[in-house]
């Protein structure tokens, strides 16, 4: 928006011109330093990919948004830089739930020369509403964290957050991607799931970023996280059985926790908004770490997994197979009926009674090479 200069300012311009001085030198906002380094010690993944000048503006804007300022002034009048900083803040800062992620850029001009800019944010709640929502969010987070054991590892923290969100949220249409939807209303879409995971894990000291792209033919959001400094992927939304059309009681789908990039790209496409590392480690993949991965049909290994599931009271058993062994394993287990034989062996070994007189229900995920079996208690 262009603001007209008052008469006095026009007079000053004329006087400065007569005296050989430049109003631009006297009043224009200086360009941000190109070598700017933030003093903010927090994890800001998207921010770190901006130029030094954009990071400077990012920090100016973030300070104003945290204070819920109606106008954030004295900005360098470069709309592209301001917009890049706002987009980065929206991805980095789920804690700014009172900010809509949008606003207006107002630029002051002398003639056709930009002098300074201000940003006018759009807020979705006033300070009193913000305080009330924050209290509810803090309570929700405290309840989540209460389930963590002392000395929990990064893996334990991330897995607990994954399970907790899935157990306490329903996949439903909402108007925005705010954490308020999940942590106050108990419902939301993929952006809400991803921002809530980001918010909780960053509070727990586990670096977690918001990432977007395509999945299932639609725009989608999920998370990139670093466990013990090792990057891997997590999609809480796709781990929610309600999202897949299942029942909440069936519990999380674990094939979307701790993924490598190779596995992620079986079902997801990155949109390139931010640069991401190639995640190659299998160390934090849930199914591999839990002994539920088999390269081929392995009756002894699968029986051992069943025994663990029965001893621990699981209601379902997820199994993953190697790409070359998946079709054969699924055929032997279900078409040839070997799943009944293995369950009988596991039941006899553990002493846990099973009802094997009827069909055993299961689901397949051919893209991820997984089968998930309902345990027939």
């Amino acid at each position: 928006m262009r603001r007209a200069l008052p008469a006095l300012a026009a007079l000053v311009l004329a006087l400065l011109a007569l005296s050989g001085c430049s109003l631009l030198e006297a009043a224009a906002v200086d360009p941000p330093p190109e070598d700017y380094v933030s003093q903010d010690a927090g994890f800001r993944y998207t921010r770190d990919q901006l130029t030094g000048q954009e990071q400077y503006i990012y920090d100016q804007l973030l300070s104003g948004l945290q204070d819920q300022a109606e106008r954030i002034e004295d900005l360098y009048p470069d709309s592209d830089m301001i917009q890049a900083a706002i987009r980065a803040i929206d991805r980095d800062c789920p804690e700014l739930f009172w900010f809509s992620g949008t606003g207006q850029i107002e630029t002051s001009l002398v003639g056709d020369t930009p002098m300074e800019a201000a940003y006018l944010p759009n807020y979705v709640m006033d300070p009193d509403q913000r305080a009330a929502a924050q209290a509810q969010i803090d309570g929700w987070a405290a309840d989540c964290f209460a389930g963590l054991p002392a000395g929990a590892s990064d893996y334990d923290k991330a897995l607990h957050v994954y399970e907790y969100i899935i157990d306490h949220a329903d996949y439903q249409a909402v108007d925005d991607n705010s954490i308020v939807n999940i942590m106050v209303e108990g419902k939301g879409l993929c952006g809400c799931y991803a921002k809530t995971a980001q918010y909780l894990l960053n509070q727990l000291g586990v670096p977690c970023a918001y990432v977007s792209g395509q999945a299932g033919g639609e725009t989608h959001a999920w998370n990139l996280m670093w466990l013990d400094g090792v990057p891997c992927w997590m999609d809480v939304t796709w781990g929610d059985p309600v999202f897949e059309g299942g029942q909440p009681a069936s519990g999380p789908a674990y094939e979307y926790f701790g993924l490598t990039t190779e596995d992620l790209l079986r079902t997801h496409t990155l949109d390139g908004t931010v640069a991401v590392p190639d995640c190659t480690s299998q160390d934090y993949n849930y199914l591999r770490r839990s002994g539920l991965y088999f390269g081929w049909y392995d009756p002894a290994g699968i029986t051992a997994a069943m025994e663990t599931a029965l001893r621990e009271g699981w209601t379902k058993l997820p199994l993953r197979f190697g790409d070359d062994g998946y079709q054969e394993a699924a055929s032997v287990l279900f078409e040839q009926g070997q799943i009944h034989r293995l369950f009988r062996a596991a039941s006899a070994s553990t002493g846990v009674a099973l009802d094997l007189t009827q069909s055993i229900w299961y689901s397949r995920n051919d893209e991820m090479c997984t089968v998930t079996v309902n345990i027939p208690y």
Side-chain angles (χ1 to χ4, degrees):
M1 178 184 296
R2 177 171 175 170
R3 294 189 300 187
L5 289 172
L8 178 60
L11 176 61
V12 171
L13 175 59
L15 292 174
L16 288 175
L18 289 173
S19 64
C21 296
S22 169
L23 179 61
L24 300 181
E25 294 177 356
V29 172
D30 292 331
E34 294 183 2
D35 59 351
Y36 174 74
V37 177
S38 173
Q39 301 304 308
D40 180 11
F43 178 74
R44 308 291 188 194
Y45 184 70
T46 312
R47 179 196 179 284
D48 290 343
Q49 300 189 26
L50 300 177
T51 67
Q53 291 183 313
E54 290 168 340
Q55 290 185 28
Y56 184 90
I57 294 173
Y58 178 113
D59 288 352
Q60 286 180 291
L61 291 165
L62 179 58
S63 177
L65 293 170
Q66 289 169 334
D67 292 339
Q68 206 162 344
E70 293 185 5
R71 294 174 59 86
I72 304 171
E73 300 186 310
D74 299 323
L75 300 173
Y76 182 63
D78 187 309
S79 295
D80 290 340
M81 287 187 184
I82 295 171
Q83 289 170 351
I86 286 295
R87 287 193 297 268
I89 288 171
D90 188 52
R91 299 176 75 92
D92 283 348
C93 304
E95 69 274 14
L96 297 177
F97 56 84
W98 54 90
F99 171 50
S100 71
T102 64
Q104 295 77 46
I105 299 172
E106 184 178 283
T107 302
S108 298
L109 305 174
V110 171
D112 293 326
T113 302
M115 302 294 288
E116 65 176 359
Y119 185 72
L120 285 64
N122 294 326
Y123 296 117
V124 297
M125 54 184 69
D126 62 33
D128 290 338
Q129 293 169 323
R130 167 185 166 181
Q134 186 68 65
Q136 291 179 279
I137 288 169
D138 291 345
W140 200 95
D143 288 341
C144 173
F145 299 158
L148 280 169
S153 66
D154 283 358
Y155 176 86
D156 292 335
K157 292 174 182 177
L159 181 60
H160 179 74
V161 165
Y162 182 85
E163 294 172 331
Y164 192 90
I165 293 173
I166 290 169
D167 288 343
H168 292 81
D170 290 331
Y171 184 81
Q172 294 184 26
V174 292
D175 293 333
D176 55 46
N177 289 330
S178 171
I179 63 173
V180 172
N181 292 308
I182 299 291
M183 302 181 77
V184 176
E185 302 296 335
K187 60 185 180 181
L189 295 173
C190 60
C192 307
Y193 278 72
K195 286 198 171 187
T196 301
Q198 178 188 23
Y199 177 80
L200 294 170
L201 286 182
N202 286 339
Q203 284 207 350
L204 289 170
V206 178
C208 181
Y210 178 99
V211 181
S212 59
Q214 297 281 321
E218 297 181 354
T219 301
H220 191 54
W222 61 95
N223 295 106
L224 173 64
M225 58 184 178
W226 286 257
L227 305 182
D228 301 321
V230 177
C232 57
W233 300 99
M234 173 178 73
D235 189 340
V236 189
T237 309
W238 277 42
D240 192 334
V242 175
F243 171 77
E244 294 289 344
Q247 298 297 319
S250 62
Y254 288 104
E255 55 260 52
Y256 300 106
F257 182 88
L259 296 174
T260 63
T261 299
E262 181 180 3
D263 279 342
L264 177 81
L265 296 180
R266 292 170 182 261
T267 52
H268 293 52
T269 302
L270 294 157
D271 64 11
T273 301
V274 294
V276 297
D278 184 12
C279 304
T280 59
S281 175
Q282 300 280 8
D283 292 346
Y284 300 96
N285 179 271
Y286 176 87
L287 296 177
R288 290 177 180 267
R289 194 177 179 110
S290 301
L292 301 172
Y293 174 87
F294 306 94
W296 303 86
Y297 175 63
D298 177 359
I302 296 170
T303 302
M306 289 176 171
E307 291 170 353
T308 298
L310 295 182
R311 291 191 187 101
E312 297 184 5
W314 299 2
T315 59
K316 64 179 185 176
L317 176 65
L319 301 169
R320 179 170 177 182
F321 298 93
D323 290 357
D324 294 334
Y326 169 65
Q327 293 296 342
E328 179 190 2
S331 175
V332 171
L333 284 170
F334 304 110
E335 294 176 18
Q336 300 178 30
Q338 291 301 301
I339 190 74
H340 285 81
R341 181 178 69 82
L342 300 186
F343 265 130
R344 278 194 295 270
S347 176
S349 174
T350 61
V352 177
L354 297 176
D355 180 5
L356 298 171
T357 62
Q358 301 183 17
S359 298
I360 295 175
W361 293 94
Y362 69 96
S363 61
R364 292 178 54 159
N365 184 332
D366 292 343
E367 292 170 310
M368 300 301 292
C369 296
T370 61
V371 295
T372 302
V373 185
N374 291 355
I375 299 179
Y377 291 109

